[in-house]
Amino acid sequence: GAVVSQHPSRVICKSGTSVKIECRSLDFQATTMFWYRQFPKQSLMLMATSNEGSKATYEQGVEKDKFLINHASLTLSTLTVTSAHPEDSSFYICSGGKDGTNTEAFFGQGTRLTVV
Amino acid sequence: KQEVTQIPAALSVPEGENLVLNCSFTDSAIYNLQWFRQDPGKGLTSLLLIQSSQREQTSGRLNASLDKSSGRSTLYIAASQPGDSATYLCAVNNNNDMRFGAGTRLTVKP
């Protein structure tokens, strides 16, 4: 299978600061990457779809100015949580597909964000 | 909009039992369906991927079936072990849009 590397695995930040999470496809080119959020004891919810070289597509209810997504290359997508608040504390996970549509999804290890 | 439901929400069985986890979805026009395992605080481990044209996939003690017309998939775990304890998620892929069920939390008691 393909490998998606996500960093950091855990981060604690103060309210009002910004945090960047990186998602890299190590052995394949991901034209599309997906960002999910998971609150405790809930399932993963898609936040946005990141397309290389173009603007991300955000799901309804997800603030695009708060969750900045950049997909500048075929192997790297980043999610920046700006002006973080405690309610942003969650588990964030990315995934990528080799050709974006009907292939197997490969997930990063996830990032546990705690905003204090 | 695709909705994915998993039943039961939680399941506790003694070691050695065979068990079935259920997943249902509302839109049958899917590309594929994938079963994942998630350990507490961890990411996702892909278990089985079933393409829309397939009926089942097997890996070791795991067998996943897909009935696209009725919007159902099952994950069968044979001879369960304590190490199988985790949350199992099914995810349905509709044209770049992957939707997850809420998961089944499985506990296998020694």
Side-chain angles (χ1 to χ4, degrees):
Chain A
V3 179
V4 174
S5 178
Q6 186 174 342
H7 293 280
S9 58
R10 290 179 178 273
V11 59
I12 300 173
C13 70
K14 292 183 178 180
S15 290
T17 61
S18 296
V19 174
K20 180 184 285 188
I21 302 170
E22 291 190 350
C23 181
R24 294 181 184 272
S25 54
L26 299 186
D27 52 1
F28 69 100
Q29 293 184 329
T31 55
T32 306
M33 285 190 176
F34 305 88
W35 288 94
Y36 297 85
R37 179 169 55 186
Q38 184 180 37
F39 291 107
K41 298 186 179 180
Q42 295 186 27
S43 191
L44 284 81
M45 297 298 294
L46 179 66
M47 296 175 66
T49 302
S50 163
N51 298 297
E52 185 268 335
S54 63
K55 292 183 178 180
T57 302
Y58 290 81
E59 294 296 297
Q60 191 172 10
V62 179
E63 300 175 58
K64 63 179 182 180
D65 294 330
K66 180 171 184 61
F67 299 98
L68 301 180
I69 291 174
N70 183 282
H71 194 159
S73 77
L74 287 170
T75 59
L76 174 65
S77 177
T78 61
L79 167 67
T80 301
V81 183
T82 63
S83 187
H85 291 280
E87 56 264 33
D88 297 325
S89 298
S90 186
F91 186 71
Y92 294 84
I93 194 166
C94 65
S95 77
K98 290 182 180 178
D99 64 20
T101 56
N102 57 352
T103 59
E104 184 174 4
F106 302 96
F107 283 80
Q109 304 94 318
T111 298
R112 171 72 60 192
L113 170 64
T114 303
V115 184
V116 298
Chain B
K1 181 180 176 181
Q2 179 74 273
E3 293 184 5
V4 182
T5 304
Q6 287 187 248
I7 296 173
L11 180 64
S12 180
V13 299
E15 182 177 5
E17 274 204 6
N18 303 324
L19 57 101
V20 175
L21 308 181
N22 298 289
C23 174
S24 61
F25 47 95
T26 55
D27 183 356
S28 61
I30 66 172
Y31 280 108
N32 58 44
L33 183 145
Q34 203 164 349
W35 282 94
F36 296 90
R37 168 186 174 137
Q38 185 177 31
D39 292 286
K42 304 289 186 180
L44 303 181
T45 300
S46 179
L47 299 174
L48 289 165
L49 170 71
I50 310 178
Q51 299 292 353
S52 62
S53 58
Q54 297 175 324
R55 299 284 290 183
E56 67 176 342
Q57 284 287 318
T58 298
S59 176
R61 295 182 293 108
L62 304 179
N63 176 278
S65 68
L66 174 64
D67 184 342
K68 204 171 65 165
S69 61
S70 67
R72 294 183 180 184
S73 176
T74 62
L75 178 67
Y76 175 82
I77 302 177
S80 59
Q81 302 171 358
D84 295 331
S85 298
T87 295
Y88 290 81
L89 298 167
C90 77
V92 176
N93 190 342
N94 291 83
N95 190 23
N96 250 355
D97 183 3
M98 180 174 270
R99 301 286 167 171
F100 286 81
T104 294
R105 190 168 60 256
L106 173 66
T107 303
V108 181
K109 298 179 179 178

